[in-house]
Amino acid sequence: MKQPGWQSLLSFSILFLACLAGFSSRLFAVIRFESIIHEFDPWFNYRSTHHLTTNGFYEFLNWFDERAWYPLGRIVGGTVYPGLMVTAGLIHYVLNLLHITVHIRDVCVFLAPVFSGLTAISTFLLTRELWNQGAGLLAACFIAIVPGYISRSVAGSFDNEGIAIFALQFTYYLWVKSVKTGSVFWTIGCCLSYFYMVSAWGGYVFIINLIPLHVFVLLLMQRYSRRVYIAYSTFYIVGLVLSMQIPFVGFQPIRTSEHMAAAGVFALLQAYAFLQYLKDRLTRQEFQTLFFLGVSLAAGMVFLTVIYLTYTGLYVRLLTCYAKIHIPIIASVSEHQPTTWVSFFFDLHILVCTFPAGLWFCIKNINDERVFVALYAISAVYFAGVMVRLMLTLTPVVCMLSAVAFSSVFEHYMGDDTKREKPPEKAEEGLGPNIKSIVTMLMLMLLMMFAVHCTWVTSNAYSSPSVVLASYNHDGTRNILDDFREAYYWLRQNTDEHARVMSWWDYGYQIAGMANRTTLVDNNTWNNSHIALVGKAMSSNESAAYQIMRSLDVDYVLIIFGGVIGYSGDDINKFLWMVRIAEGEHPKDIRESDYFTPQGEFRVDKAGSPTLLNCLMYKMSYYRFGEMQVRRGALTPPGFDRTRNAEIGNKDIKFKHLEEAFTSEHWLVRIYKVKKLDNREPLDHKLRSVVPKQKYTSKKVPLMLGGEFALQVWRDSFRFS
Amino acid sequence: MSSSDVTNFFFLFQNLAPTLPIMQPSHLVTSLENLLSEKVDQMMEWSSRRSVVRMNGDKFRRFVKAPPRNYSVIVMFTALQPQRQCSVCRQANEEYQVLANSWRYSSAFSNKLFFTVVDYDEGADVFQQLNMNSAPTFMHFPAKGKPKRADTFDLQRIGFASEQLAKWIADRTDVQIRVFRPPNYSGTIALALLVSLVGGLLYLRRNNLEFIYNKTGWAMAALCVVFAMTSGQMWNHIRGPPYAHKNPQNGQVSYIHGSSQAQFVAESHIILLLNAAITMGMVLLNEAATSKGDVGKRRIICLVGLGLVVFFFSFLLSIFRSKYHGYPYR
């Protein structure tokens, strides 16, 4: 079917505008603040991209980062998905080749918005394969502005998910295309796209389970065809080989349980095809015998495998959702929580109510590729329900199915009856122009509300860099709080190049990226016991903490304190997690109950537990804070913590082994220097009093004073030196 | 534990009491060691009958409070009588029984640790003596010395799961108890029932298996999953929120949680219905345009569909707004 020229021009311009809208609605943070890398993980990605562009690809693959996880270090090249860094590095390289000189930071900042445009295009392609061109265009418009996707792809959020959603959608498009055509060309394209996805994000597991599921359901529905056979056999083998080329993935695809479904379906498909082949060759009687034999054998095999898996506990791990794991370090991350309906509505708005209608239409008019999108929707909605973070994988399919629903409504209600080619003689022709235009108008209004909601959410909820904070006065003027960068630059300028900075793991990547100093723990939380040790140091008293810090060679301690400006994400509010994680590893030394009042409350004022009031984190947070009058009306006493709305309980804080090195403008970041050991250990026992024999007495001391007095003089001089 | 069970046991207990040798005045002269071994034997005998020893005021003072002791005692102070209406006590009691049974039937079972229970209706004097005004409370009475602050189990914060209790006991007495829960077969039975039901249905309809190919049925099932997830049933399943909140002051019942971070079960059901209504509206709109029939009927279907979408979406939006203060346009 050949399209008229104006139609393809229209499609092209709509698609182009969708990309443009997607790109520009992600720029709020850049316009309000500046071109800066956001949050935590992106700082690591940025740092490794920087390493890649300065030292080259092979150096990057072999990079051993001795500045992280001191004293252990981290093998970066083998523990990251390199797709993101390589993509940014490649773009930077090409631009420089064309003599467009940009800094690598700008490439990193604008990578996610650019890829969101590509996502819109691939979503258009996929939806066009599933339904029609109109639905495709609507889907592209939806995915360009939907908050569920913007949350991970604003400018500056230089993270794996930003490029992975494009790879995901494109892989699915090529897969649907190859199932439709049965051509090896499309399948190889699908494998390459899958390879890119594997190199970019751990979420590739979703693809390698969804595609086999699709094939399996097609077999169940007796929709087996040569096309499916060719597509899946090629995809599995080539995709497997390609995915194993990524160092971080390695041999996982043939070892771990997540990939077993794909292998099982591959075997099943071969067996099924073989049976189909035999069916043509054998008589009915022979075939039946063979079939029963084969089925009973297969059933026995499956049974044994299940028993084995159950025995080894793999099955349990497959079935239990991650949210139920009670390891504190996983529970402490807010992204690993189940999803309320409010989050669904917040991220998807009208789409969450209309996409079931699209799913309904797809199932009612089922074909091979619509089976795929139905499975995609059901599995993604389940995962999104279990974990907030996986809303990201749900968003594309919601956009596609909502587009299907809206486009089928528009298709029927927008068209003008009189201009149809067909003669309007039939009685059941039209609902009348009035109803049609009312329906169209109201639907358009709903979509407009959606657009307004998306813009509002993007601007208010998802465009904060969280490295730079902003506060608004009553008259609407804006204050920029740049304490984080101030402190990190202080570290960069004023400390020794190899100084080791201890902080809670949230700030590890930022310290490494902005201050370029060695950290003990960071956001790659691979070593729980090391984190627990830092947590123990933070929650012990000063002398015990000093022991730990000495053993870890800590030079500086960095903490975040929000009591002056009322910043709620500070270390005191995270403190209980430090205690819990420390208790998990050192139950004899740290007890969570010690940090609560007898009534079971966590308080920082006078009623708080003495253990809390004397632990290192408390002392570092509130050192000299007792003298400070926070501006908030005249009535607040000195030492009033605005975050927790309490006057602190321990105002007389003195340090023995630490000294304050730096406090930022709004006290948001405080850095302490860990003192070296004194030259000589002060003796805590009484000095041995020896009456010196006269022949050893110095001539300068008068003989008659001798003994006791000399000792006294020596003691005093020692004390005051 | 059923009530007849309790009375039965209690009866037995009273029969036993007069035969206790240490209660006779003539035996007061027995040496401390004898007294101690008598006590231990008595406790062991009771424990062998029942993993949790029931105590009244006298028994409590004699076996738990009185000094010659070389065994630790865990006491649950509770109020299990039905007229006390303490539902927490019953749950705590179940967990406590699980723990006590795990100890009773473990290979490490010894006379170093006993599990006992004091019910308020049998030993109110004990509650007064210990200045205790809430039940349930778990206390540990160490073999030597008086109970310290940490010997009272922190129920408010940790909860009363057997595993937590076992951890606390290990902490206080150095006795490690591996909690063994009697396996819960209800899930398996439900699954088996479901499978047999489906199997039976298939068998009954074996002549007409067309309904497996019924797209409407499958579409319905798919939509059910989707609605369940988008209305946050998984959150309910994991977090276990209350069904609705009743304000104790004025008795008003609120079905919508005020914060955007949480939800009630009732609320999620309302959302489920709203989502379903909007979806149905969209489907009806489509139906009205594509079906072949009377135009008047189709017009009505169309208007109903439109009404469903517009009305229920506005409703949903207003619920959302009540939870998200300051939405939108700030």
Side-chain angles (χ1 to χ4, degrees):
Chain A
M1 193 172 70
K2 190 95 173 83
Q3 290 177 353
W6 63 270
Q7 214 169 5
S8 51
L9 179 66
L10 195 62
S11 310
F12 179 77
S13 18
I14 290 173
L15 211 52
F16 177 72
L17 286 175
C19 294
L20 201 65
F23 182 81
S24 36
S25 73
R26 284 166 170 79
L27 299 185
F28 276 110
V30 172
I31 292 166
R32 283 198 196 135
F33 300 98
E34 59 188 282
S35 168
I36 185 184
I37 305 283
H38 290 192
E39 292 190 326
F40 306 107
D41 284 14
W43 274 102
F44 168 75
N45 296 330
Y46 169 63
R47 185 159 159 260
S48 16
T49 313
H50 196 264
H51 190 88
L52 170 71
T53 50
T54 45
N55 296 324
F57 180 66
Y58 288 103
E59 188 56 39
F60 168 69
L61 277 186
N62 294 323
W63 184 21
F64 178 78
D65 183 6
E66 72 278 7
R67 300 214 149 198
W69 293 94
Y70 183 86
L72 308 169
R74 176 185 173 191
I75 306 160
V76 176
T79 56
V80 291
Y81 290 101
L84 181 73
M85 297 97 189
V86 172
T87 309
L90 201 68
I91 293 175
H92 181 248
Y93 175 76
V94 169
L95 286 178
N96 276 302
L97 212 62
L98 300 172
H99 293 290
I100 306 171
T101 45
V102 287
H103 192 263
I104 183 67
R105 190 195 62 225
D106 293 313
V107 175
C108 295
V109 166
F110 290 103
L111 190 74
V114 168
F115 267 77
S116 76
L118 295 180
T119 310
I121 293 171
S122 56
T123 307
F124 163 73
L125 293 172
L126 179 55
T127 320
R128 192 180 61 180
E129 292 304 319
L130 295 170
W131 202 256
N132 57 26
Q133 182 120 353
L137 289 173
L138 263 179
C141 297
F142 286 158
I143 193 109
I145 57 168
V146 69
Y149 177 39
I150 286 189
S151 65
R152 291 322 196 89
S153 63
V154 290
S157 159
F158 180 55
D159 216 342
N160 292 331
E161 289 94 330
I163 63 169
I165 294 301
F166 158 69
L168 184 84
Q169 286 293 86
F170 200 60
T171 310
Y172 285 155
Y173 162 64
L174 291 170
W175 167 250
V176 164
K177 197 81 188 168
S178 49
V179 167
K180 259 182 151 178
T181 58
S183 113
V184 177
F185 170 73
W186 289 110
T187 318
I188 294 295
C190 177
C191 293
L192 290 176
S193 174
Y194 173 66
F195 174 61
Y196 185 60
M197 175 75 186
V198 176
S199 76
W201 193 36
Y204 76 90
V205 175
F206 185 48
I207 298 183
I208 199 61
N209 281 301
L210 186 61
I211 287 180
L213 184 68
H214 180 214
V215 173
F216 183 66
V217 172
L218 284 182
L219 286 189
L220 279 187
M221 294 172 75
Q222 301 181 331
R223 284 176 169 273
Y224 169 81
S225 62
R226 290 271 169 82
R227 291 175 282 119
V228 175
Y229 179 77
I230 293 169
Y232 187 68
S233 304
T234 319
F235 169 78
Y236 180 68
I237 296 298
V238 180
L240 183 77
V241 171
L242 284 177
S243 66
M244 282 162 66
Q245 306 308 311
I246 306 295
F248 188 34
V249 177
F251 279 93
Q252 276 180 40
I254 50 172
R255 226 186 253 157
T256 56
S257 53
E258 294 101 83
H259 301 80
M260 283 306 126
V265 169
F266 179 70
L268 189 71
L269 191 70
Q270 304 306 322
Y272 195 91
F274 183 64
L275 279 180
Q276 292 282 330
Y277 173 77
L278 281 184
K279 214 169 166 183
D280 298 340
R281 302 291 153 112
L282 297 173
T283 63
R284 200 179 161 75
Q285 192 58 47
E286 281 172 335
F287 180 72
Q288 266 184 357
T289 335
L290 201 70
F291 182 74
F292 276 116
L293 203 70
V295 164
S296 46
L297 257 175
M301 290 275 286
V302 168
F303 184 69
L304 286 179
T305 322
V306 167
I307 296 254
Y308 174 73
L309 285 179
T310 321
Y311 184 69
T312 52
L314 281 174
Y315 206 53
V316 180
R317 225 189 310 159
L318 271 176
L319 290 180
T320 46
C321 28
Y322 290 112
K324 288 211 162 185
I325 298 174
H326 286 298
I327 303 168
I329 197 140
I330 291 180
S332 74
V333 178
S334 64
E335 284 175 341
H336 297 168
Q337 310 294 334
T339 318
T340 57
W341 76 267
V342 180
S343 320
F344 276 107
F345 193 82
F346 189 75
D347 278 352
L348 302 169
H349 197 247
I350 179 88
L351 306 187
V352 79
C353 328
T354 51
F355 95 97
L359 184 59
W360 175 271
F361 297 144
C362 275
I363 296 181
K364 290 292 261 185
N365 308 301
I366 200 91
N367 60 20
D368 284 359
E369 56 270 18
R370 287 176 196 161
V371 172
F372 178 74
V373 81
L375 292 172
Y376 184 6
I378 291 168
S379 51
V381 83
Y382 170 75
F383 289 123
V386 173
M387 210 195 272
V388 176
R389 189 183 172 180
L390 294 175
M391 185 76 85
L392 192 67
T393 51
L394 174 68
T395 307
V397 70
V398 164
C399 290
M400 295 193 300
L401 288 175
S402 288
V404 166
F406 273 107
S407 104
S408 63
V409 168
F410 283 137
E411 213 171 290
H412 296 123
Y413 286 88
M414 245 180 178
D416 200 345
D417 291 342
T418 52
K419 284 192 179 170
R420 286 269 166 82
E421 296 295 316
K422 285 178 184 168
E425 285 136 36
K426 291 178 203 162
E428 69 271 8
E429 180 51 38
L431 292 160
N434 286 338
I435 287 186
K436 282 195 167 183
S437 46
I438 288 174
V439 170
T440 314
M441 293 268 282
L442 284 174
M443 286 293 146
L444 284 177
M445 264 183 70
L446 285 183
L447 291 185
M448 227 164 69
M449 283 167 76
F450 171 67
V452 171
H453 173 89
C454 290
T455 320
W456 180 79
V457 168
T458 310
S459 145
N460 284 298
Y462 292 141
S463 290
S464 160
S466 85
V467 174
V468 184
L469 304 173
S471 70
Y472 292 91
N473 296 336
H474 293 297
D475 56 352
T477 53
R478 201 160 52 115
N479 287 332
I480 299 264
L481 310 178
D482 210 355
D483 284 37
F484 288 106
R485 289 197 295 174
E486 184 192 346
Y488 293 139
Y489 282 122
W490 183 88
L491 269 180
R492 198 184 186 109
Q493 301 295 334
N494 296 291
T495 60
D496 180 63
E497 197 194 344
H498 296 287
R500 289 156 294 262
V501 183
M502 180 170 91
S503 72
W504 191 232
W505 60 264
D506 297 17
Y507 310 103
Y509 279 164
Q510 290 185 349
I511 293 171
M514 283 190 254
N516 196 19
R517 292 292 172 267
T518 307
T519 57
L520 269 69
V521 291
D522 63 31
N523 310 43
N524 175 266
T525 50
W526 63 277
N527 189 330
N528 193 31
S529 65
H530 211 53
I531 292 177
L533 208 56
V534 172
K536 188 183 171 191
M538 296 289 192
S539 40
S540 319
N541 61 31
E542 195 191 342
S543 49
Y546 188 60
Q547 295 281 332
I548 300 171
M549 292 192 291
R550 286 290 308 164
S551 66
L552 290 172
D553 288 345
V554 175
D555 294 318
Y556 292 91
V557 189
L558 180 145
I559 57 155
I560 307 296
F561 172 61
V564 177
I565 55 163
Y567 174 68
S568 63
D570 67 350
D571 276 347
I572 294 278
N573 278 3
K574 287 174 187 166
F575 183 59
L576 279 182
W577 287 112
M578 302 184 202
V579 174
R580 264 169 222 160
I581 291 168
E583 190 187 9
E585 295 278 332
H586 308 278
K588 291 283 171 206
D589 304 319
I590 305 288
R591 278 165 215 282
E592 197 188 343
S593 53
D594 292 346
Y595 295 85
F596 287 99
T597 59
Q599 289 77 38
E601 291 168 296
F602 181 74
R603 313 175 59 145
V604 295
D605 55 7
K606 278 206 175 63
S609 87
T611 319
L612 173 67
L613 262 52
N614 288 303
C615 74
L616 186 70
M617 177 53 81
Y618 188 94
K619 285 173 83 173
M620 285 195 297
S621 290
Y622 293 118
Y623 180 63
R624 291 198 299 117
F625 187 62
E627 310 151 13
M628 183 172 186
Q629 179 88 43
V630 179
R631 267 180 297 125
R632 196 211 198 183
L635 288 175
T636 54
F640 185 82
D641 184 336
R642 283 180 64 183
T643 306
R644 284 153 286 269
N645 281 325
E647 188 187 346
I648 59 169
N650 184 358
K651 288 187 183 172
D652 179 36
I653 295 173
K654 287 198 172 56
F655 281 114
K656 197 172 162 200
H657 304 295
L658 297 171
E659 62 186 1
E660 186 183 6
F662 177 79
T663 296
S664 63
E665 188 185 350
H666 303 95
W667 290 50
L668 206 52
V669 184
R670 310 196 71 179
I671 300 172
Y672 289 83
K673 185 174 166 49
V674 181
K675 285 189 206 164
K676 298 287 173 215
L677 284 177
D678 292 340
N679 276 347
R680 192 184 304 187
E681 290 276 2
L683 302 174
D684 48 358
H685 56 84
K686 208 173 173 211
L687 285 176
R688 191 160 59 117
S689 62
V690 183
V691 180
K693 286 173 190 160
Q694 282 205 342
K695 56 180 176 179
Y696 294 125
T697 314
S698 162
K699 292 285 186 233
K700 285 176 186 168
V701 180
L703 278 179
M704 57 180 182
L705 291 174
E708 284 299 314
F709 179 76
L711 195 66
Q712 188 66 41
V713 168
W714 179 73
R715 242 191 235 165
D716 284 348
S717 67
F718 177 73
R719 193 174 295 152
F720 293 112
S721 65
Chain B
M1 196 187 287
S2 72
S3 62
S4 67
D5 213 7
V6 175
T7 45
N8 192 13
F9 176 61
F10 203 42
F11 181 59
L12 187 104
F13 188 56
Q14 280 171 332
N15 273 351
L16 261 176
T19 64
L20 296 182
I22 51 167
M23 298 185 97
Q24 310 299 328
S26 59
H27 285 80
L28 282 175
V29 289
T30 45
S31 65
L32 273 180
E33 283 88 50
N34 267 348
L35 180 64
L36 185 63
S37 68
E38 302 266 14
K39 276 170 76 173
V40 171
D41 287 347
Q42 187 60 53
M43 288 296 276
M44 280 303 274
E45 193 194 336
W46 284 335
S47 295
S48 64
R49 280 167 205 276
R50 189 139 236 157
S51 51
V52 175
V53 180
R54 269 190 109 75
M55 297 248 167
N56 59 13
D58 292 336
K59 309 279 170 317
F60 178 78
R61 276 185 285 279
R62 186 158 296 123
F63 289 97
V64 181
K65 289 288 271 189
R69 237 173 352 107
N70 60 357
Y71 49 85
S72 294
V73 186
I74 308 291
V75 188
M76 174 175 70
F77 298 95
T78 188
L80 286 174
Q81 296 299 318
Q83 75 264 18
R84 298 279 167 213
Q85 291 189 341
C86 174
S87 60
V88 182
C89 298
R90 228 161 292 141
Q91 292 165 23
N93 184 39
E94 274 166 26
E95 291 292 315
Y96 191 63
Q97 295 286 347
V98 167
L99 181 69
N101 280 325
S102 308
W103 168 241
R104 171 71 190 77
Y105 298 107
S106 78
S107 54
F109 178 69
S110 68
N111 56 9
K112 291 288 161 225
L113 178 67
F114 294 104
F115 287 89
T116 63
V117 58
V118 177
D119 197 301
Y120 182 78
D121 294 281
E122 290 159 22
D125 47 338
V126 181
F127 277 71
Q128 280 159 13
Q129 196 182 344
L130 289 171
N131 240 340
M132 205 170 279
N133 43 23
S134 74
T137 308
F138 294 96
M139 273 186 84
H140 165 242
F141 290 86
K144 287 187 180 63
K146 290 199 163 185
K148 298 185 191 62
R149 209 189 102 196
D151 280 317
T152 306
F153 182 65
D154 194 349
L155 198 83
Q156 299 286 337
R157 206 168 51 75
I158 314 179
F160 46 71
S162 325
E163 287 79 11
Q164 296 294 342
L165 278 165
K167 208 172 141 199
W168 169 66
I169 289 169
D171 189 33
R172 301 311 309 168
T173 64
D174 289 330
V175 174
Q176 302 284 345
I177 304 176
R178 210 168 136 259
V179 176
F180 176 76
R181 283 177 189 277
N184 191 352
Y185 291 112
S186 62
T188 324
I189 289 172
L191 195 72
L193 216 68
L194 195 78
V195 168
S196 59
L197 207 73
V198 170
L201 212 72
L202 284 179
Y203 182 74
L204 286 178
R205 307 265 316 251
R206 66 187 175 282
N207 297 326
N208 185 9
L209 282 174
E210 274 303 302
F211 72 96
I212 291 185
Y213 303 107
N214 186 353
K215 286 173 194 159
T216 316
W218 286 107
M220 286 282 197
L223 290 202
C224 285
V225 174
V226 168
F227 288 136
M229 287 300 153
T230 53
S231 61
Q233 300 302 325
M234 187 51 88
W235 195 90
N236 290 350
H237 177 71
I238 291 172
R239 291 292 160 81
Y243 190 77
H245 177 70
K246 191 173 180 187
N247 192 333
Q249 263 91 50
N250 49 17
Q252 271 182 347
V253 182
S254 56
Y255 295 104
I256 310 290
H257 198 285
S259 144
S260 60
Q261 306 291 322
Q263 62 185 16
F264 293 131
V265 178
E267 179 183 342
S268 70
H269 290 165
I270 294 171
I271 300 304
L272 194 151
L273 290 180
L274 292 183
N275 278 343
I278 296 167
T279 302
M280 206 167 93
M282 289 296 273
V283 173
L284 284 183
L285 275 179
N286 204 54
E287 204 83 336
T290 52
S291 68
K292 295 181 173 57
D294 181 30
V295 175
K297 210 167 158 189
R298 281 168 51 200
R299 279 204 181 125
I300 291 171
I301 292 179
C302 169
L303 286 179
V304 167
L306 189 66
L308 280 176
V309 172
V310 171
F311 177 73
F312 284 111
F313 185 68
S314 323
F315 193 33
L316 188 62
L317 207 59
S318 67
I319 293 178
F320 179 74
R321 195 170 298 162
S322 74
K323 285 174 78 91
Y324 242 99
H325 304 289
Y327 172 85
Y329 321 130
R330 221 166 11 150

